[in-house]
Amino acid sequence: MKHSARAGRGLVRCLCVAAVAGGLALPSHAQTLKVLTAGAFKQIVLALAPTFEAGSELNVDVQNDTAGSLLKRVQAGETFDVLIATPTVLASLAKEGLLDAATMHAVARVAIGVAVRTGDPLPPLETVDQFKQAITGARKVAYIDPASGGSSGIYLTGLFSRLGIADEVRSKAVLVPGGLVADRVASGEADLAIHQVSEILPVKGVKLAGLLPDSIQNCTTYAAGAATASRQPDAARAFVALLTSPQAIDTLRAKGMTPPP
């Protein structure tokens, strides 16, 4: 069933009214809600931000990075209101007192896929052998640099080792420090991009060839939580609630993600 943006705005307004009724007033003039998000979830935040802004007096400032880099940024003292990353990152920050554990909620799950340039033949990817053939037969393969802390890049590095193709892949790897890996396919720098589906679909000039086979697939769960020191604590909690709303679930599916199990 489809849920309209109007319903989403109503949810935000209800959350804001509830906060005020509880004696916790929201800002009386336009301010900023700073949302730090892992790249895979960025498209969902951007899609939902207008609904939140329409139901509050806050502007949403969306900043994305790899999960590992977000952890380092917050640990180094960067302020934020809402963080969306892997549960491990949020749990670490909650343990350090930087994130309110009571506000943590799983919000999405996403699989890893393979992208090719639009118009190129789609490699078969149903089996592990077909996946290996697609990788070893490519001139260049782009994926997130594991040193940047990106979850898919860390997983793929281990996967290539288990499949016995690590050395071959290393010689043709286009390591991307962050952002949309599939851009390297669109530009012609790489033949294949391996990245989370939600970060493949927004890229023009590429096509999702398929997902990694089930036996080697790695789905990443993302969670959201509010900063302990948020300047907009009630709005931060309202934004996290929006991420678990029916409108958010529709948006997740449209952007290549699924609700958490």
Side-chain angles (χ1 to χ4, degrees):
M1 180 175 66
K2 295 296 182 183
H3 300 270
S4 68
R6 182 178 300 173
R9 288 194 294 271
L11 171 66
V12 173
R13 290 194 184 98
C14 287
L15 290 166
C16 294
V17 169
V20 173
L24 300 170
L26 292 174
S28 59
H29 59 281
Q31 296 185 43
T32 297
L33 188 80
K34 183 177 178 181
V35 178
L36 298 179
T37 179
F41 203 81
K42 179 182 178 181
Q43 298 302 318
I44 288 81
V45 177
L46 291 177
L48 295 174
T51 294
F52 185 83
E53 291 173 338
S56 70
E57 296 182 356
L58 292 168
N59 297 315
V60 180
D61 173 21
V62 182
Q63 299 184 24
N64 73 283
D65 211 329
T66 65
S69 293
L70 290 175
L71 175 63
K72 293 176 182 177
R73 285 168 57 173
V74 173
Q75 288 175 327
E78 181 169 345
T79 60
F80 69 98
D81 296 298
V82 175
L83 176 67
I84 304 157
T86 59
T88 300
V89 167
L90 269 66
S92 294
L93 294 175
K95 187 175 182 180
E96 296 176 33
L98 299 171
L99 188 133
D100 183 356
T103 67
M104 289 174 52
H105 293 280
V107 293
R109 196 165 181 255
V110 64
I112 296 175
V114 178
V116 299
R117 192 180 302 108
T118 301
D120 284 357
L122 302 183
L125 298 168
E126 288 80 10
T127 68
V128 174
D129 282 342
Q130 288 175 337
F131 173 75
K132 288 174 63 175
Q133 289 170 12
I135 300 303
T136 57
R139 175 183 55 87
K140 292 286 184 180
V141 178
Y143 57 98
I144 284 286
D145 187 345
S148 71
S151 57
S152 64
I154 293 170
Y155 173 74
L156 289 171
T157 299
L159 175 63
F160 296 145
S161 294
R162 294 196 300 275
L163 296 179
I165 58 174
D167 290 341
E168 187 170 356
V169 173
R170 193 176 298 115
S171 68
K172 62 177 68 181
V174 177
L175 298 179
V176 183
L180 299 173
V181 171
D183 279 338
R184 306 303 176 95
V185 169
S187 69
E189 187 176 348
D191 301 324
L192 298 178
I194 313 173
H195 207 186
Q196 289 162 326
V197 174
S198 60
E199 297 191 81
I200 290 175
L201 296 182
V203 179
K204 295 181 179 179
V206 306
K207 183 176 179 62
L208 178 66
L211 305 180
L212 270 61
D214 289 344
S215 61
I216 58 171
Q217 179 60 263
N218 183 63
C219 291
T220 300
T221 296
Y222 288 94
T228 304
S230 172
R231 295 181 179 180
Q232 319 286 352
D234 305 307
R237 288 193 290 271
F239 193 86
V240 172
L242 176 62
L243 297 180
T244 62
S245 69
Q247 182 189 356
I249 292 174
D250 286 347
T251 303
L252 287 176
R253 292 183 171 130
K255 302 294 183 181
M257 303 183 103
T258 59

